[in-house]
Amino acid sequence: MGNLGTADPNGPMYYRGIYHLFYQYNPYAAVWGNISWAHSISYDLVNWIHLDHALNPEDPFDINGCWSGSTTLLPGEKPVILYTGSDTKNQQVQNLAVPKNLSDPFLKEWIKSSHNPVMSPIDDGLDPDNFRDPTTAWQGPDGLWRVLIGNQMNGHGRALLYRSRDFVSWIKSEEHLHSSNKTGMWECPDFYPVAIYGKYGVDTSSVNELTKHVLKASFNNHDYYILGNYTPTTDKFSVDTDFMDSGSDLRYDYGQFYASKTFFDSAKKRRILWSWIQESENATDDIKKGWSGLQSIPRTILLSESGKQLIQWPVEEIEQLRAENVSLQSKELKGGSVLEVSGITASQADIEVSFDLSNINEAEPELMDPSWIDPQLLCSQKPESFRGNVGPFGVSVLASKDLTEQTAIFFRIFRSHDKYVVLMCSDQSRSSLREGPNKVSYGAFIDIDPLLEKISLRSLIDHSIVESFGGEGKACITARVYPKLAIDKQAYLYAFNNGTFDVTIASLNAW
């Protein structure tokens, strides 16, 4: 979405029948700088219209950039923007903007508040280099609005809490909402409720015994989240497991996915997640092609039935892009076989496949070594070409006819004591014959029992991007790849099984 330099999604919202997305944007070059808020609108989350910029860096409180932030809908359907400005001294401050004309459903023009900056780090004794990215605000039972600001203190990440009655005068809470001594700066924090056993999203301010809260922070080039219980009367957030705790590595996405933001879509009662997806090339390539960075396919977010993780899935509107369908049912994939899925132009495709391993008891999966705790490392050490017993099996997308170029998304099954461990990999090592791009592999463990459920994968492919959802959205991996041969009509799709144990494709549908 957008051309030139595009980064973090900002202030997504649904207002009077229209979806709005603002995003970090450099109007002059395909690299970072001159950061403004670009603005696009849509009626269906698929087709977008670009409007004039909503915010430009032209005032003392944001002259060095209108950085990330959020929108909040105040009572009476009044949207407001809180955003980080880099001021004349290059200090990070928080600013407020309101629509010029509330009766304009496109909200084309925004006015910056005469009270800006409404939050300043100097007033509160904070580091002016690490004070940014206000969240969507929520209202407590006391009528006060609350907002989180990303921060670090002594090298530790934290979410500062501010409160306000009128959205103009903000007072920093003595206590921050949460902090960590295991991470650095928290960028682009997000804080919102999810329904327990719910099929629907919930409004940002709703809190009851049927909700849990999600705190998400961006650090280490990934978007991590934790779950917990939030008490609005005391603003206490007690977490189930903390960031970077042993064995706990909850991320929205295990690939290229950063600075994400959610919003509550009141029309369809769902929470939607958006993220910035960076390039994996260098800036010279970006300048040459004239653009860089894009927004992910919007995803819905729900709490899993176990209550221990989030489930993500592309919004249903994406299915209107599906054209001709290719389908396979109950197809055995012998060990060591490759199957071309013909009849599909695989440079832009939506693929759903499920594998049946209900006879896995007859196999002897490789024993899981207790030291294998990093799935990404495991995927790098055991790429698609590395034959195991059960797996690797999956699909090769953006593949050249002879498979010299391919991006393989696949699964491996290991045995650990009394259970099976399912590893999902996105292997970019052979994604391009070009030298420049980063061809890192990504991996995630998925909480699935292959005896009881099929192992499913959905991949959305759009030229240089592959967004993959494993186990009905339990693990997501986004990759950027830049094939030299497998482009446009020369991009092919294959299903493969490089393990020795036969697996069955229960069904495969590609559009």
Side-chain angles (χ1 to χ4, degrees):
M1 182 175 301
N3 54 0
L4 298 181
T6 300
D8 314 11
N10 294 148
M13 67 174 165
Y14 179 78
Y15 177 72
R16 296 195 177 179
I18 295 172
Y19 294 101
H20 291 256
L21 179 66
F22 306 90
Y23 46 98
Q24 299 280 280
Y25 185 67
N26 180 355
Y28 307 113
V31 291
W32 199 88
N34 313 296
I35 297 298
S36 316
W37 273 40
H39 184 194
S40 298
I41 56 166
S42 173
Y43 291 94
D44 62 1
L45 294 171
V46 174
N47 301 287
W48 291 85
I49 300 157
H50 298 297
L51 303 179
D52 287 342
H53 293 172
L55 301 172
N56 292 300
E58 49 200 9
D59 294 282
F61 48 80
D62 65 12
I63 193 74
N64 286 304
C66 299
W67 294 359
S68 293
S70 305
T71 49
T72 301
L73 285 167
L74 300 185
E77 283 283 277
K78 293 180 184 160
V80 292
I81 286 173
L82 275 176
Y83 71 99
T84 299
S86 180
D87 69 10
T88 47
K89 296 179 179 166
N90 284 311
Q91 295 178 353
Q92 295 163 21
V93 295
Q94 313 312 322
N95 301 314
L96 177 67
V98 298
K100 185 173 182 179
N101 176 8
L102 275 175
S103 61
D104 166 21
F106 300 145
L107 302 173
K108 288 194 288 287
E109 292 182 78
W110 291 78
I111 302 168
K112 298 172 188 175
S113 168
S114 58
H115 299 280
N116 285 341
V118 292
M119 295 172 234
S120 162
I122 303 307
D123 301 345
D124 293 314
L126 298 162
D127 177 359
D129 289 336
N130 291 297
F131 180 69
R132 57 184 177 272
D133 312 335
T135 62
T136 298
W138 71 97
Q139 198 170 23
D142 52 9
L144 296 179
W145 289 96
R146 290 145 169 85
V147 71
L148 300 182
I149 312 288
N151 173 245
Q152 83 168 3
M153 191 69 162
N154 304 326
H156 300 159
R158 14 183 237 179
L160 303 175
L161 179 68
Y162 279 77
R163 299 187 189 94
S164 174
R165 192 161 294 284
D166 60 1
F167 233 82
V168 174
S169 308
W170 291 88
I171 293 165
K172 179 178 162 295
S173 164
E174 288 298 307
E175 300 285 317
H176 34 266
L177 183 87
H178 196 59
S179 64
S180 167
N181 56 10
K182 295 180 181 170
T183 80
M185 172 69 187
W186 286 359
E187 294 195 296
C188 306
D190 204 0
F191 188 63
Y192 56 89
V194 282
I196 298 170
Y197 311 120
K199 295 282 171 263
Y200 294 97
V202 281
D203 180 80
T204 309
S205 292
S206 63
V207 178
N208 57 45
E209 63 279 7
L210 296 175
T211 55
K212 272 196 156 179
H213 267 69
V214 178
L215 173 63
K216 168 256 158 179
S218 301
F219 53 85
N220 294 354
N221 295 319
H222 291 287
D223 281 9
Y224 295 84
Y225 69 87
I226 50 178
L227 298 164
N229 292 306
Y230 167 64
T231 311
T233 45
T234 57
D235 286 317
K236 287 276 179 279
F237 179 54
S238 62
V239 305
D240 297 353
T241 49
D242 216 335
F243 288 117
M244 315 311 278
D245 264 7
S246 58
S248 163
D249 179 23
L250 294 171
R251 305 184 204 176
Y252 283 161
D253 192 293
Y254 292 82
Q256 284 282 72
F257 196 91
Y258 195 73
S260 61
K261 187 144 303 271
T262 67
F263 74 102
F264 176 64
D265 173 5
S266 57
K268 291 196 170 180
K269 301 282 183 285
R270 58 187 174 173
R271 183 159 289 272
I272 293 177
L273 166 72
W274 244 305
S275 173
W276 170 41
I277 296 171
Q278 296 161 270
E279 303 299 313
S280 296
E281 293 187 295
N282 57 40
T284 318
D285 291 315
D286 297 341
I287 292 163
K288 201 157 77 182
K289 68 175 182 261
W291 65 277
S292 80
L294 41 78
Q295 305 297 329
S296 65
I297 297 278
R299 306 173 177 181
T300 56
I301 285 197
L302 291 169
L303 186 64
S304 69
E305 284 181 10
S306 72
K308 291 184 174 148
Q309 70 162 115
L310 298 173
I311 302 285
Q312 300 165 66
W313 201 245
V315 293
E316 60 188 10
E317 286 88 339
I318 293 299
E319 292 165 29
Q320 64 185 306
L321 293 171
R322 289 174 170 177
E324 310 80 59
N325 168 243
V326 174
S327 181
L328 296 173
Q329 305 297 323
S330 307
K331 180 90 180 159
E332 191 168 31
L333 260 190
K334 292 273 185 213
S337 66
V338 179
L339 171 72
E340 184 184 340
V341 182
S342 51
I344 183 112
T345 306
S347 52
Q348 286 183 297
D350 183 346
I351 300 158
E352 291 201 37
V353 57
S354 66
F355 297 94
D356 188 343
L357 275 86
S358 51
N359 61 339
I360 192 170
N361 276 340
E362 299 161 23
E364 274 294 306
E366 197 178 338
L367 207 54
M368 182 79 186
D369 186 313
S371 69
W372 294 346
I373 50 174
D374 181 345
Q376 180 171 3
L377 187 62
L378 201 49
C379 289
S380 308
Q381 291 167 345
K382 297 176 185 288
E384 158 273 331
S385 55
F386 187 93
R387 293 196 67 167
N389 191 1
V390 187
F393 58 87
V395 292
S396 288
V397 304
L398 293 172
S400 59
K401 190 77 181 166
D402 60 0
L403 286 166
T404 51
E405 272 188 347
Q406 56 170 301
T407 295
I409 304 112
F410 61 85
F411 302 97
R412 280 180 195 277
I413 317 287
F414 301 101
R415 200 159 40 91
S416 167
H417 305 304
D418 52 349
K419 64 178 178 112
Y420 294 109
V421 178
V422 179
L423 173 70
M424 172 180 168
C425 300
S426 180
D427 175 5
Q428 284 75 246
S429 59
R430 297 201 280 167
S431 60
S432 177
L433 294 175
R434 291 174 47 207
E435 288 298 312
N438 181 350
K439 296 170 195 167
V440 61
S441 287
Y442 300 116
F445 292 119
I446 314 185
D447 183 18
I448 302 178
D449 183 348
L451 272 176
L452 303 176
E453 52 191 312
K454 294 181 175 63
I455 294 180
S456 74
L457 173 70
R458 182 173 179 192
S459 284
L460 299 170
I461 299 146
D462 190 5
H463 296 300
S464 72
I465 180 167
V466 182
E467 289 189 61
S468 298
F469 300 79
E472 305 289 332
K474 284 182 174 172
C476 310
I477 301 180
T478 297
R480 294 302 303 279
V481 295
Y482 310 91
K484 188 175 175 178
L485 307 175
I487 52 176
D488 300 330
K489 295 270 190 277
Q490 298 306 307
Y492 296 88
L493 170 65
Y494 295 89
F496 69 88
N497 174 12
N498 281 348
T500 50
F501 183 70
D502 300 346
V503 299
T504 302
I505 297 177
S507 75
L508 182 152
N509 279 288
W511 293 268

